[in-house]
Amino acid sequence: QTLDQGTKLLDDLIARARDRGETAIAAADAFALHDTYGFPFDLTYELVAEQALTVDEAGFEELMNQQRKRARAGATARGGGAADDERSRAQELVAAVDHETVFTGYETLEQPTTVAAVARVNGRAVAKLAESPFYAAGGGQVSDVGIVECEQGACRARVAEVFRIGDDQAVALELEQGELKQGERVIARVDASARHATESNHTATHLLHAALRARLGSHVRQAGSAVQPDKLRFDFTHGQALSDAELHDVEDQVNEWILANEPVRALTTTLDEARGLGAMALFGEKYGDVVRMVQIGDGRFSRELCGGTHVRSTAEIGVFRMVSESSSAANVRRIEALTGPAAVELLRRHDELLETLAGELGARPDQALDVLRAHERQRSELDRAVKEAGGGAGDAVAVEELAQRASDHGGTRVLAATLADVDAKSLLEIVDRLKGMLGDAVIVLGSATDGRVHFVASVAPAIVERGVRAGEIVKTAAELTGGGGGGRDTLARAGGRDPSKLEQAIEAARAAIEARLA
């Protein structure tokens, strides 16, 4: 619906532009389509180009920047001032130094360098390094973390943030020892573990993008991403939730490319050549005449313009596992996924959970589902059998199954359950049978029939001495169903008028029993 509405509005804008003899769509109109109607700018750009028109991209980006400034202002009002102070100081340092920081992080994780400028802000240091191996957040990838140490060992600081200032950068540092001074020779070290995990997730994001386009169609375009050491998030244009089959196919394709150990190469080329090769561009990014293109394998399935860091070959990713697929915005879906050790840990937790469940069911892990389904069938048969008991004592096998639902609380058996369409007399007879099976126990049963609610509670004498009384139990349950009742400490009955509250009443009775036992 969003795409249909946006296309109609865009058609009107194109028609008006042609009527006025204009060759471009105004930035304000493109921004309104994006901001008000949720129509992606990259679609506006492509559809307008098909009509031999252009879009005021610079104006659109300026409107986006104004929106970001308003958002930052709101964040400052909510307490985001400290981070803004550091960024402002970083901008001042960058402007005061007449040369840009040389980023060496593509080639090395450890860089001898010089502190070109430094300042203290809010208890931390903001520094501009002559050379830096630290990646500054951009293109969805988070900043590197690491350490900056004086060559002579007199100072040490932990990298807390890397600010991207145009084509330059500065780092925010938490000092752990000594002081950093301008002109100081230092060693800048990237946290190798965090960097590799981030690179794995970034390359996996490119593979995920390619797999989605291969499975769903070429309409799939990146609409946002977050690449972190612990996980990746990928937003993409698509009009509906993915089916289980589609999700399985996409995940299998990504893992197939990982297993193939495809090389990952970053190539420097012209923007026109990259576009001619079919390289995907990141929405909202500005590219110069010379661009960095990341190609996986021979490039047939993945070429993207990207300034981020990547693994050298896909096998370094290890394994790819999707954890969720959801809606992010109108006609935009979101996938979150894990790679490498984080994905292995998730799979291990799932295995442990399955083994625990299988142990509770007394089955092997590969039999757990069948055994669980068998238990569910038995429970359904039990409910039918108890219902069919009518005015009699109930089916012995069904009552035995009911007894197996009792739980243990510090050596005391507790059974709190609802039964379908069983009258008060039958409830009492079922409780008598259960007492013989469970021994010293607390039992409370509830049922609804002919618009009335019935409760029966039984408490063994030894448990009455611990403060659990049948009369109090049924009263607690009955009050929730608009009724009342009572009886002896060891056996009590009650009734109510609201069958819709039966389950809630039994749970309240269970909670009261457990509280007393505790």
Side-chain angles (χ1 to χ4, degrees), residues 338-375:
L338 304 176
T339 66
V344 171
E345 180 59 29
L346 175 68
L347 296 172
R348 182 177 290 120
R349 289 201 305 270
H350 287 175
D351 284 345
E352 291 171 352
L353 180 62
L354 177 58
E355 289 173 0
T356 300
L357 176 61
E360 292 289 331
L361 294 170
R364 297 198 312 266
D366 60 336
Q367 298 174 327
L369 182 58
D370 290 338
V371 173
L372 181 61
R373 286 171 173 167
H375 282 200

Side-chain angles (χ1 to χ4, degrees), residues 125 327 377 391:
S327 173
R377 287 195 298 270

Side-chain angles (χ1 to χ4, degrees), residues 23-60:
T23 60
I25 299 299
D29 291 331
F31 181 76
L33 281 173
H34 167 75
D35 190 55
T36 305
Y37 299 99
F39 194 75
F41 178 76
D42 57 341
L43 291 184
T44 297
Y45 184 92
E46 291 184 6
L47 293 174
V48 166
E50 290 177 359
Q51 301 299 320
L53 298 175
T54 60
V55 183
D56 182 1
E57 292 185 77
F60 175 83

